[in-house]
Amino acid sequence: MLRIDQLKTAPLPPLTFTVGDGECLIVEGPSGSGKTRLLRAIADLDLASGHVFLNGAERNEMTGPQWRKKVRYLSAEPQWWTETPQGAFALNEDKAAQDRIARLLTSLGLAPALLDKPVASLSTGERQRLALVRSIADEPAVLLLDEPVSALDIPTAALVSELLRFQLLAGRTLIITAHNDNPVSRLGHARLQLAPITGMPARRALASMAVSPPSAPPRSQGGT
Amino acid sequence: MTSYVPLSLTDLSIAAALVLLNGAISFAYRLRLEKSLALASLRMIVQLAAVALVLRFIFQQVSPLWTIGFAAVMATGALAEIIMRQQYRLKAWVPLLLSASPAFLSGLATTLLALAVIQPSPWYAPRFLLPILGMLAGNTLSGVALVLDTLTSTAERERAIIEARLALGATRLEAFQDILRQAMRTGLMPVLNSMAAAGIVALPGMMTGQILAGIDPVEAAKYQILIMFLIAGATAIAVLTSGLVIVHFITDDRHRLRLDFLVKSKS
C-alpha cells in the first residue's frame, strides 16, 4: 500500500491519498498541470516536502536507490544509454530473470531478439514497450507510469493494458498518467484530476481510494 | 660545461620585431587582432618580468615561509583558472573549491614525492620546489578543468538518461559511471598525448630550457622523464578525485540529480 501524506511539490498543492495493493490510480489533467511532477516526487527524483509510505515504511528510512527499486518511475520519454537495449537491462545475469524478460517482451508483441538490435533501429513504439519491460522486470512494488502508451496504436496499447492488469492481480500498485480515451485509463480504480495551473492554483485532491468497478471510476474533481 | 649564453636587450628587441610583423599581418588582413596582440604582448612582458623578480628574491631567501607563500599564490591562481574555465559551475563556494582543489593538492603531493627523489638541500629549496610544483599543477589544472567541464555539461545534456538510471534504482555513482569514465578519459588525454609526442613532435619545454642552459641532453631527458611520470601520476589522481567530488556535489544524499546546484557562467 502506497500512502502519500501532504506531499508538496511545485506547482501542486499538498496532496494526501492512498493507493492500495492491486489498485490503480489514474492521474489526469491538462499538460503543465503537474502530472509528471507528482510521479517524480513520489519516486523521490525531485525535492518534495511531506511523506510517502510504502507498506508503512517511510521512504527516508531507506536510501533513495532502495526506494526507487521498490517505487519505480517510468518517464514518458524512455531513455537508452547503450547501443543495444540488452546493455541497459543491467543486473539480469540469472536465467530466471532473463526468462521473465522474454515472457514480458512476448506479451507485448516484441521478439526477445530485439534486445540485441541497435536501439537506433527500433521504432518509438518498440522503445516505449522495451522501456516498460525494463521497468517492471525486477518486479517493483509500485509502478509510476507517465503516459505509458503515448507512442502506441490502440491494439498495442491494449496489450500493455493487459500486462498492467496482470501486474495489478499480482498485488502491485499502479499510478498512471493517461488520457481518457486510451485502454490503459480503464484500469483505474480511482482518478485524480489535476486542475490547470493558471488561475486557480489550489485544489483539493482525491482523498479516498474506494475501489469501484473500472467501468464507472469515481471522479474526484478539484475543489476550492 | 656551462655554455649558457645570456640574452641582451638587443636580442629581445630583434625578436619583438616578429610580433610587430604579426601585427602588420593582422592589420593588412583586417583580422582586428592588433589590440589584443599588443595587450597580450605587454601582459606577457610585465608578468614574466614580475615573476622573475619575485623568484629571484625568493631563491635568494631560501626560506620555507616565502616558498609556501609563493606556492599559495600559485594555488589561488590554479583554482581561479579552473573555476573560470567551467561552462557550468557549482553555485556554492565550498563545494566549488573542493571540486577544483584536487588539481593543486595532487600537484603538491607529487611535488613532495619528487623532492624525496631529487633530495635538494634544504628540501624546501625554492629553486627545485617551485618550478616542479608549477609544472605539475599546470598539468593537473588542465586535467581537472576538463573533467569538471565535461562532467557538468554532459550531465546537463544527458539529464534524462541519468534520471532514467536513477529511477531504475541506480546509485549516483552507478548512474554517472559512463559519464565519469568519459570525463576522465577527456581529462587524461592531454597528458597521454604529450607523453607520446615528447621528443618527436615537440621537445618538452623543460628539456629545451635545460639544454639551452648548457645541460647535457641526456641529463635533461632524464629530468624530463621523471617530470612526465610525475605529471601522469598527479593528473590521474587529480582527475579521478575531482570527478568523484563533482558527482557527489551535483547529486544529493537521496541520490537525486541536482542540476539546480549548478549555474551557467555568463561568458
Side-chain angles (χ1 to χ4, degrees), chain B residues 76-94:
Chain B
T76 315
L79 293 184
E81 186 66 28
I82 291 172
I83 290 165
M84 278 194 312
R85 285 197 207 170
Q86 305 306 310
Q87 195 186 354
Y88 300 94
R89 60 170 188 79
L90 289 165
K91 276 183 204 163
W93 275 99
V94 173

Side-chain angles (χ1 to χ4, degrees), chain A residues 14-220:
Chain A
L15 294 170
T16 297
F17 58 88
T18 300
V19 192
D21 295 346
E23 288 183 348
C24 174
L25 172 69
I26 302 289
V27 181
E28 295 177 324
S31 51
S33 59
K35 302 189 290 290
T36 301
R37 284 283 179 169
L38 175 62
L39 297 193
R40 287 174 56 96
I42 296 172
D44 208 4
L45 285 167
D46 282 336
L47 215 53
S49 62
H51 301 281
V52 186
F53 300 87
L54 179 64
N55 300 327
E58 217 276 334
R59 63 183 178 185
N60 285 320
E61 291 168 19
M62 51 193 106
T63 67
Q66 283 168 342
W67 176 257
R68 291 188 281 265
K69 288 249 184 236
K70 296 177 176 143
V71 179
R72 179 64 46 80
Y73 167 71
L74 175 60
S75 147
E77 289 164 11
Q79 302 295 328
W80 298 94
W81 52 90
T82 50
E83 203 183 328
T84 63
Q86 184 76 58
F89 280 79
L91 321 163
N92 283 315
E93 293 294 314
D94 64 304
K95 189 79 177 71
Q98 282 170 2
D99 287 349
R100 191 162 58 238
I101 290 169
R103 276 201 307 279
L104 288 167
L105 289 172
T106 314
S107 74
L108 292 182
L110 298 170
L114 281 188
L115 286 178
D116 296 315
K117 291 209 170 153
V119 171
S121 73
L122 303 175
S123 75
T124 318
E126 285 169 335
R127 273 180 270 187
Q128 187 164 36
R129 280 174 286 164
L130 277 164
L132 179 64
V133 171
R134 181 177 63 191
S135 285
I136 63 182
D138 59 340
E139 306 185 326
V142 179
L143 289 171
L144 310 167
L145 307 177
D146 199 355
E147 305 279 357
V149 293
S150 57
L152 305 181
D153 54 26
I154 298 288
T156 320
L159 290 178
V160 170
S161 182
E162 210 44 40
L163 175 62
L164 295 179
R165 192 186 304 281
F166 279 110
Q167 297 292 313
L168 289 172
L169 289 173
R172 313 226 158 88
T173 301
L174 263 62
I175 301 183
I176 305 177
T177 68
H179 294 292
N180 230 340
D181 51 353
N182 80 48
V184 168
S185 79
R186 285 197 288 274
L187 290 171
H189 299 89
R191 270 153 216 282
L192 172 61
Q193 179 77 36
L194 301 180
I197 291 311
T198 49
M200 282 174 283
R203 92 199 66 67
R204 282 189 65 82
L206 172 96
S208 73
M209 280 292 300
V211 180
S212 53
S215 49
R219 282 235 160 224
S220 169

Side-chain angles (χ1 to χ4, degrees), chain B residues 153-170:
Chain B
S153 52
T154 312
E156 287 276 350
R157 199 175 57 240
E158 296 190 353
R159 169 191 199 134
I161 285 180
I162 298 165
E163 293 201 316
R165 301 183 76 162
L166 291 172
L168 287 166

Side-chain angles (χ1 to χ4, degrees), chain B residues 159-235:
Chain B
R159 169 191 199 134
I161 285 180
I162 298 165
E163 293 201 316
R165 301 183 76 162
L166 291 172
L168 287 166
T171 63
R172 46 185 158 180
L173 268 184
E174 287 164 352
F176 267 99
Q177 95 189 1
D178 297 340
I179 297 174
L180 186 59
R181 197 176 292 147
Q182 190 54 49
M184 285 178 57
R185 278 171 161 279
T186 309
L188 287 173
M189 208 51 81
V191 175
L192 289 180
N193 288 342
S194 70
M195 284 218 287
I200 297 179
V201 184
L203 214 48
M206 187 186 78
M207 193 167 152
T208 314
Q210 286 192 314
I211 291 173
L212 284 178
I215 307 266
D216 171 32
V218 174
E219 288 305 310
K222 280 198 219 156
Y223 253 90
Q224 189 64 51
I225 290 170
L226 172 77
I227 290 294
M228 281 291 193
F229 282 154
L230 293 175
I231 288 175
T235 311

